[in-house]
Amino acid sequence: MTPRRLRSSIPRLLVLAGVLALIGLGLSRATIDTGVGSFVPTGDRGYDQLQQRDERFGADPVVVVLHGSAPDGLIASSDQLPRLVALEGAIARLDDVAVVYGPGTVLNQTASTMRNLLAQISGRRDAIENTARAEARQRGLSGADAAQAVDRALTAFDRRYGALLTEAMPMGLPVVRNQRFVRSVMFDRAGEPRPEWRFLLPDAKAATILVRPRVGLDQAQTADLIERIRSTVQDARTEGLQTSDPLVSGAPAVTAAMSREATRDAPRVGVIALAAVGSVFLLVPWSRRRRDRLRPLLTAVLGTATVVAAFGLADRSLSLGAVAFLPIVLGIGSDFPLYLSQPGERRRVLVAAGAAVACFASLGISSLPFVREFGLALSAGVVVTAAWALALGRRLPAIEPARSDADRAPTPRWSPGRRAVGGLLVLALAASVAGFVALGRISVQADPQALGRGLPALADADRAERELGFSGEVSLVIRPSGPDAPHALTPASLAWARDAEERIAVEHGDRMRPLLTMAQLLRFLGPEPSSEQVDAGASLVPPYLLDAVLAGDGSAATSTFGVRLDDLRDQDALVRSLRRDLPPPPAGYDVEVVGLPVVAASGLAAVSASRWLIGLLALVMTGGLIALGLRDGRLAAQALSASILASGWVYLGLGVAGVELSPLMLAVGALIAVTSCEFTLMLDAAERERPWLHRSVLTAAGAAVVGYLCLGLSTLAVLRDFGLVLAFGVVASLAAAHLVVLLARPHLRRDRRVALVRSEMPPTERPATRVKETV
């Protein structure tokens, strides 16, 4: 290179270096988020209510289950209980912890509150007695008459609070060191945990600590918090807390584990897919010179990195689909640079790329942010990869395709007869129709654990659910809705909460268990307390516990119940039945059923509703863009036919294999439309004048298949299944495109003969009707 040319290249090299530096910076900032919000329909009221509940009362808890190995367990041991209290305090002091609920802290707070309560009750009783005696003397009563007046004044008070004094007498001083007090609060006469504390005491020797994280944590912060909780538990064991096999689980732990695995899988699967796709490009002799064969892959890598970096620079987390995004863009994204690097057919390739962008953009109609973001990333990946291919193509020479003697044949040597055509059509259409019929019957994935099947965190969640009897929460939130109910805690709202808890116990006691409820905390107030008594009773409850059921500003009150997070259809039925069975709220109040089961049911409905619409829209956009871009209705019909056939075959395969539709499966229809369109356009061009494109199409298909199969190496089951379905979809698309082009061969020969005759006629004798020439 001459010095002048070198100097003129410096600005371009600096621009390229700057772009690559930005890409590197964006990649370093890219994150993956598997939070609940990405799997919930946009604008879902249940999710908004869940967010509001979390802001008031804390997010779903991290669950720590401890099994005491000391003879008396953790609670009934005077040596172990102080260590448990110390552990709960250490966890509460961790950054990003909103509140901690555990048996040690409950006992500590209860002891303090009970001392204050007994002192206030005793003082109040003495004041009532003294006031009654003074009034009796003023009235001139003495002896038995004065005693009766005092008894009448104390009767109502003793009826309400006498039981508390009576029960407090034999338990002794309410302190954590007093085992009689501890046992009377936490255990019944048989030595088993009291029902109201079952969620903190799975059995007499075990303890559960519920750690509610600070609202607004991202997945990385949640994962870090969970690791710090585990470390704190281990430190407590080192310092003498006798527990065996402690368990740290809960919904935040599961989502953090999925995010961690997805973050680990993305580069690992991406590198393996890169090596696999590169091997196909390198080993298949699609170009004359071997050194040219990796150029399309290099372009796809640049396009993929650019899109991921853009998310990082925009400070937007990628969803779970990012792991699938890498092999897909490497597979599909490398196809268009492959075709663009060869001579001719640029317009056809760009039209196919535009159809791919439109198909992926059709995912944007989904109400699930997870699916929309996946479609946006794929669309951007195709656009950016094609742009890189065009930019590099201006600086690099065209790749000379490998040619063989068969490529020089001017026309196809074989075409099927009419009987063969009829048979192929009947079989292909029958299979496709059966597939679309099967699509309506394929069940939607209703097990939330199926997304991460095989993860150790899910095994821990199953174990926690078996031991505790619950793995999720449903809250009944009651809030004032008008000027007649200025506060969430009143006699009317408390009466409603008690009625609701009783109905739940009767109708759903086998599936819901009370955790922290207003009725439990204020049961000592009796059946019909007045407003003054409710206020006084609330002031006696430890703020530590009261804050779990009553917002600080009185804008909402909640009663929380534990449920099992299993089949989403069952959860949806439970939520519907619960809403139907709840008593009507008091005048001036609204009641909401809030929790993960509620929003999960919304996601299930969104997946079910989108199974047809996205695929059909992708098919329509494919045909329309080809017809407009190439001005060839028949070619558009061929591409559309191939897409319909391949889609039907894949749906039939899903139905036969019993595969359920996950949220990620909504993208299958668009991906099949993309590959079917691409293969049909390129095979048609190969049949016309560029036979070497046959080898290029096979190379592209092989690269896509091996790239998608690399998803089978993911630790997440949802990605493994998705990769297998995509690989099958590529094979089906290739077969459908070959079939459509094969059936179109007689028309192609006729067009060629007409074009040849027309070209040999003198201009004055050519027919006035315009005959379409081949490309």
Side-chain angles (χ1 to χ4, degrees):
M1 179 179 294
T2 64
R4 177 176 294 180
R5 292 187 62 186
L6 180 60
R7 285 193 300 270
S8 64
S9 299
I10 289 177
R12 290 193 294 270
L13 293 175
L14 290 176
V15 171
L16 179 61
V19 171
L20 294 178
L22 278 176
I23 291 175
L25 176 62
L27 291 176
S28 67
R29 298 177 58 181
T31 58
I32 296 177
D33 185 8
T34 58
V36 176
S38 61
F39 296 94
V40 178
T42 301
D44 181 69
R45 178 168 175 77
Y47 182 67
D48 293 339
Q49 293 172 348
L50 178 63
Q51 292 289 90
Q52 294 172 7
R53 187 209 67 176
D54 290 349
E55 291 173 358
R56 288 166 173 157
F57 304 105
D60 277 79
V62 178
V63 180
V64 182
V65 182
L66 304 171
H67 295 275
S69 55
D72 293 331
L74 295 174
I75 305 300
S77 169
S78 58
D79 174 63
Q80 291 297 300
L81 181 56
R83 300 180 188 275
L84 179 62
V85 174
L87 171 60
E88 295 174 17
I91 294 176
R93 289 190 294 271
L94 294 176
D95 292 339
D96 298 326
V97 170
V99 66
V100 173
Y101 298 106
T105 309
V106 166
L107 277 169
N108 213 3
Q109 294 283 330
T110 302
S112 176
T113 302
M114 185 165 285
R115 289 194 298 270
N116 295 334
L117 174 63
L118 293 178
Q120 290 184 37
I121 290 176
S122 179
R124 178 61 176 163
R125 191 177 191 280
D126 291 343
I128 292 175
E129 182 178 4
N130 293 334
T131 300
R133 289 187 186 279
E135 291 178 350
R137 285 196 299 269
Q138 291 178 358
R139 292 162 54 191
L141 301 178
S142 62
D145 293 336
Q148 289 180 359
V150 171
D151 289 342
R152 284 195 298 271
L154 291 175
T155 297
F157 183 87
D158 288 344
R159 184 181 300 116
R160 184 172 298 278
Y161 297 110
L164 290 177
L165 292 172
T166 303
E167 292 177 2
M169 296 289 287
M171 74 174 61
L173 188 65
V175 292
V176 174
R177 294 187 302 273
N178 180 2
Q179 274 299 310
R180 284 191 301 172
F181 164 75
V182 170
R183 292 178 182 275
S184 64
V185 172
M186 306 302 288
F187 299 99
D188 58 21
R189 293 183 179 180
E192 295 299 320
R194 291 183 181 274
E196 59 267 29
W197 302 122
R198 283 283 184 180
F199 73 103
L200 295 178
L201 300 177
D203 58 55
K205 290 189 174 184
T208 302
I209 303 175
L210 303 181
V211 186
R212 294 195 182 275
R214 175 175 59 84
V215 177
L217 296 185
D218 59 27
Q219 295 299 307
Q221 292 171 321
T222 302
D224 178 65
L225 173 60
I226 291 169
E227 289 305 316
R228 285 186 281 126
I229 291 173
R230 288 195 173 101
S231 177
T232 304
V233 172
Q234 186 58 42
D235 291 343
R237 296 180 71 194
T238 303
E239 295 171 0
L241 184 66
Q242 298 180 26
T243 64
S244 59
D245 195 16
L247 177 64
V248 179
S249 184
V254 173
T255 57
M258 289 182 62
S259 179
R260 182 177 60 250
E261 292 301 324
T263 303
R264 292 174 179 174
D265 277 355
R268 181 171 63 88
V269 173
V271 169
I272 295 174
L274 178 64
V277 173
S279 298
V280 173
F281 276 103
L282 194 60
L283 296 177
V284 177
W286 61 274
S287 68
R288 190 175 67 83
R289 294 180 298 185
R290 183 181 293 270
R291 66 172 180 267
D292 293 332
R293 295 176 186 172
L294 292 181
R295 190 196 299 180
L297 184 60
L298 173 63
T299 308
V301 170
L302 287 172
T304 305
T306 302
V307 173
V308 176
F311 275 86
L313 292 174
D315 200 24
R316 287 190 56 182
S317 296
L318 289 160
S319 65
L320 181 64
V323 187
F325 164 75
L326 297 177
I328 289 174
V329 174
L330 288 176
I332 289 181
S334 60
D335 295 357
F336 303 113
L338 168 67
Y339 304 134
L340 288 172
S341 65
Q342 301 178 75
E345 302 303 333
R346 172 164 295 189
R347 180 179 179 183
R348 187 174 290 224
V349 176
L350 292 179
V351 169
V357 172
C359 284
F360 293 141
S362 67
L363 296 174
I365 68 171
S366 173
S367 58
L368 298 180
F370 161 66
V371 178
R372 289 203 310 273
E373 183 183 281
F374 186 51
L376 172 65
L378 290 176
S379 296
V382 174
V383 171
V384 175
T385 301
W388 273 108
L390 293 174
L392 294 177
R394 296 180 59 187
R395 300 294 172 185
L396 299 174
I399 296 177
E400 184 178 351
R403 301 174 186 267
S404 63
D405 293 337
D407 293 339
R408 298 186 179 92
T411 57
R413 296 182 179 179
W414 176 83
S415 291
R418 291 184 178 179
R419 181 172 298 179
V421 170
L424 287 172
L425 279 175
V426 170
L427 290 176
L429 289 174
S432 182
V433 170
F436 280 100
V437 172
L439 176 61
R441 300 177 181 176
I442 296 176
S443 60
V444 177
Q445 199 170 70
D447 184 1
Q449 297 186 354
L451 292 175
R453 189 172 58 249
L455 288 180
L458 286 179
D460 291 343
D462 288 338
R463 176 184 157 198
E465 185 177 76
R466 290 193 301 270
E467 295 183 3
L468 302 178
F470 68 94
S471 53
E473 296 179 348
V474 169
S475 299
L476 306 182
V477 179
I478 183 170
R479 55 184 179 83
S481 60
D484 295 335
H487 200 277
L489 181 57
T490 61
S493 64
L494 180 59
W496 178 89
R498 288 173 173 172
D499 190 9
E501 187 170 340
E502 291 175 358
R503 293 197 186 189
I504 289 174
V506 172
E507 301 293 337
H508 309 287
D510 58 332
R511 301 191 59 187
M512 299 179 65
R513 55 183 306 177
L515 301 183
L516 278 173
T517 68
M518 284 199 299
Q520 287 178 337
L521 290 184
L522 299 173
R523 184 171 291 134
F524 65 89
L525 291 176
E528 296 180 357
S530 64
S531 297
E532 293 77 11
Q533 290 167 343
V534 169
D535 293 338
S539 67
L540 297 176
V541 176
Y544 163 79
L545 293 176
L546 186 64
D547 290 344
V549 300
L550 182 65
D553 58 357
S555 61
T558 182
S559 296
T560 303
F561 298 81
V563 297
R564 294 179 180 270
L565 295 179
D566 43 26
D567 189 277
L568 295 182
R569 297 185 188 86
D570 293 341
Q571 292 181 35
D572 184 39
L574 173 63
V575 171
R576 292 176 183 273
S577 177
L578 181 60
R579 286 173 172 154
R580 183 178 60 250
D581 296 336
L582 285 177
Y589 287 90
D590 288 331
V591 171
E592 301 164 350
V593 180
V594 183
L596 282 179
V598 180
V599 298
S602 299
L604 176 69
V607 174
S608 181
S610 301
R611 69 171 75 192
W612 290 100
L613 186 58
I614 292 177
L616 292 177
L617 181 60
L619 292 174
V620 172
M621 297 183 74
T622 296
L625 280 173
I626 294 175
L628 292 174
L630 296 179
R631 298 179 183 178
D632 191 333
R634 190 172 68 192
L635 188 56
Q638 291 177 21
L640 186 59
S641 300
S643 299
I644 293 173
L645 289 175
S647 299
W649 298 344
V650 171
Y651 296 144
L652 179 61
L654 293 178
V656 172
V659 177
E660 294 181 322
L661 291 178
S662 68
L664 202 54
M665 289 293 185
L666 293 177
V668 168
L671 286 161
I672 293 173
V674 167
T675 52
S676 300
C677 163
E678 170 199 328
F679 294 158
T680 302
L681 293 184
M682 294 302 109
L683 288 175
D684 179 81
E687 289 292 328
R688 292 174 182 266
E689 293 181 351
R690 311 194 188 280
W692 64 82
L693 282 175
H694 280 287
R695 193 176 291 110
S696 297
V697 170
L698 292 177
T699 302
V705 168
V706 299
Y708 299 157
L709 289 178
C710 289
L711 287 173
L713 301 175
S714 172
T715 54
L716 300 176
V718 63
L719 295 176
R720 294 197 300 270
D721 296 342
F722 187 53
L724 293 176
V725 173
L726 289 184
F728 175 47
V730 172
V731 174
S733 297
L734 183 62
H738 269 293
L739 176 60
V740 169
V741 172
L742 178 67
L743 297 178
R745 276 182 179 174
H747 301 284
L748 180 60
R749 284 185 170 181
R750 183 184 61 196
D751 287 350
R752 283 185 170 178
R753 288 195 298 268
V754 172
L756 180 61
V757 171
R758 181 176 180 273
S759 65
E760 293 176 350
M761 294 175 61
T764 56
E765 297 181 9
R766 292 179 184 177
T769 304
R770 182 180 177 183
V771 179
K772 185 181 298 181
E773 297 180 357
T774 59
V775 177

